[in-house]
Amino acid sequence: MHDSLWTAATQHRFLDAVREGSIDAAAFDRWLVQDALFVTDLLTFQARLLARAPRAAQNVLAGGCVALVAELDWFDVKADERGLDMVDEALPATLSYRELLARLDTAPADEALTALWAIEKVYLLAWTHATSDGSPFAEFVEHWTVPGFAAYVDGLEQRAEPHAHADREREVLEHEIAFWDMALEQ
Ligand code: MP5
């Protein structure tokens, strides 16, 4: 379902440029700083979802919350290495994604869980697409392609209803595309 949107979200020009090593440093840094803001918003959404999810989904969601907190620490380290200030000024695509997460917050748990699965599956596929030998971005590629992350996405898939909530899935994919677009703009 939504095959062309899945392709657009996971084989975006941003990811081609990461794979080729030709990504503009300012674009990569813009993505990094905005993604740290997104992950902060995702943690808010996911912690609330954990509180209202069916018992069977709690384990995978709780593990994900712990991973999100660790990921925020990791973003700080990466930003520091690249000499970036972690601003809290969200660009329009980040704000718009925040609004989508807020809407999902009041959606039924099965729909919210399915949207979360799509959010994570996009990153697994996207960074797999961005993989190349000797990449200067290897640690970023690795972060979202290691077996542990693939297992997490699998765990979400088992508790979600992949492709059963077409509108939610479409919205996630559109926001993911806009997020990559945002990094390349300017
Ligand atoms: C993810 C992300 C994956 N970091 N950013 C966007 C815009 N979409 C999806 O989430 P996580 O928690 O980094 O695996």
Side-chain angles (χ1 to χ4, degrees):
M1 189 190 303
H2 299 316
D3 284 355
S4 61
L5 284 178
W6 274 99
T7 302
T10 60
Q11 301 180 24
H12 194 275
R13 274 181 305 125
F14 180 97
L15 299 158
D16 290 337
V18 170
R19 190 187 57 218
E20 288 157 13
S22 61
I23 186 84
D24 177 46
F28 191 83
D29 291 348
R30 195 175 307 122
W31 162 77
L32 194 157
V33 171
Q34 293 299 310
D35 211 47
L37 290 175
F38 168 80
V39 170
T40 305
D41 295 337
L42 189 63
L43 176 58
T44 305
F45 160 74
Q46 189 157 335
R48 290 192 181 133
L49 179 57
L50 168 60
R52 68 192 178 94
R55 177 78 189 87
Q58 286 172 351
N59 199 35
V60 68
L61 288 172
C65 283
V66 172
L68 286 175
V69 175
E71 186 168 57
L72 288 172
D73 290 341
W74 179 80
F75 269 118
D76 282 341
V77 172
K78 293 300 134 203
D80 217 42
E81 286 172 6
R82 298 180 69 84
L84 301 175
D85 282 335
M86 281 303 206
V87 296
D88 51 14
E89 198 184 318
L91 293 175
T94 311
L95 278 176
S96 167
Y97 218 145
R98 183 177 293 167
E99 283 161 18
L100 172 59
L101 291 173
R103 273 186 278 126
L104 289 169
D105 209 19
T106 57
D110 57 339
E111 291 183 28
L113 194 53
T114 302
L116 176 62
W117 159 77
I119 289 169
E120 298 294 353
K121 179 81 178 185
V122 164
Y123 257 44
L124 175 64
L125 296 175
W127 289 96
T128 300
H129 180 76
T131 306
S132 61
D133 284 343
S135 169
F137 302 102
E139 57 194 326
F140 291 90
V141 167
E142 204 184 298
H143 186 83
W144 284 287
T145 57
V146 286
F149 182 66
Y152 173 56
V153 176
D154 224 45
L156 287 173
E157 186 158 330
Q158 285 167 29
R159 299 299 164 203
E161 298 168 343
H163 310 306
H165 304 287
D167 288 351
R168 303 288 184 193
E169 187 177 317
R170 179 184 46 72
E171 275 192 297
V172 166
L173 295 171
E174 286 171 353
H175 282 73
E176 290 289 339
I177 295 163
F179 208 88
W180 300 125
D181 285 346
M182 164 186 69
L184 294 181
E185 273 161 18
Q186 216 126 355

